[in-house]
Amino acid sequence: MLHYNIVLIGMMGTGKTTVGSLLAAETGLKLVDLDQRIAMEAGRSIPDIFAAEGEAYFRDLESAALRRTLQEQGIVLATGGGAVLREENRLAMRDGGLVVALQATADEILVRVGEDPGRPLLAGGAKERITALLEERKDAYAFAHLTVDTSGKSAEQVAAEILTHYRGS
Ligand SMILES: Nc1ncnc2c1ncn2[C@@H]1O[C@H](COP(=O)(O)OP(=O)(O)O)[C@@H](O)[C@H]1O
Ligand SMILES: O=C(O)C1=C[C@@H](OP(=O)(O)O)[C@@H](O)[C@H](O)C1
Ligand SMILES: [Mg+2]
């Protein structure tokens, strides 16, 4: 098999954490949710880190956690939506596993996570904010080996689609 790890990327609310958990259950790979790992290591929540230290500080923690995590083998890694913003991170991910980008429309993202206080960058939850972020990050998600549109699909369907590719790769 070409890629052992599976690395999920994509905007907030595209289902990385949910689909990652389904993939781990199905394959026996270990789920690592990068945000959960960062929060656990920092001893505080992601919104707390953003509020107290700012986004740049969070991005440094995220890059360091990503680098360490990708030294593991046999994991499904659910990244945070902004983990792709640094080129060094994108390169590490591409070397570290089968990179799968999840996509969803702004409307769908708004329904899924627009009101969620756990996502500081969506505070306010406006569709314009989501649309702007999607546009801004479009190119940063394009390096994936595989892109899956999750619109109108259940998380189970998305996971099944990814597994077909993973098992054939
Ligand atoms: N394919 C899907 N269809 C509908 N809702 C979904 C889907 N995937 C995830 N969700 C829901 O969207 C919300 C955000 O999912 P999550 O996995 O946390 O996304 P991410 O980690 O990409 O931000 C959760 O409430 C989850 O149940
Ligand atoms: O897109 C982003 O910049 C972020 C996405 C979040 O993760 P999810 O994509 O899992 O929501 C989390 O890392 C943080 O709030 C920042
Ligand atoms: Mg997540």
Side-chain angles (χ1 to χ4, degrees), residues 85-167:
L85 294 175
R86 293 186 180 174
E87 188 187 17
E88 62 185 271
N89 291 356
R90 298 196 294 272
L91 293 173
M93 289 184 218
R94 254 193 96 89
D95 284 347
L98 177 73
V99 181
V100 182
L102 301 186
Q103 287 183 334
T105 61
D107 282 322
E108 211 141 353
I109 290 171
L110 186 63
V111 171
R112 291 183 192 171
V113 296
E115 306 283 309
D116 187 342
R119 289 176 175 79
L121 291 183
L122 293 187
K127 185 178 163 188
E128 293 69 33
R129 173 83 183 122
I130 296 171
T131 306
L133 268 180
L134 277 173
E135 180 58 30
E136 207 177 293
R137 293 179 172 181
K138 189 169 70 207
D139 294 343
Y141 294 127
F143 76 100
H145 297 109
L146 169 71
T147 297
V148 177
D149 184 359
T150 71
S151 306
K153 293 175 193 161
S154 68
E156 287 76 11
Q157 283 174 308
V158 174
E161 212 172 298
I162 294 169
L163 277 179
T164 303
H165 286 267
Y166 179 68
R167 292 187 167 133

Side-chain angles (χ1 to χ4, degrees), residues 12-13 15-18 33 35 78-81 119:
M12 291 168 267
K16 302 175 298 294
T17 298
T18 309
D33 185 86
D35 286 331
T79 63
R119 289 176 175 79

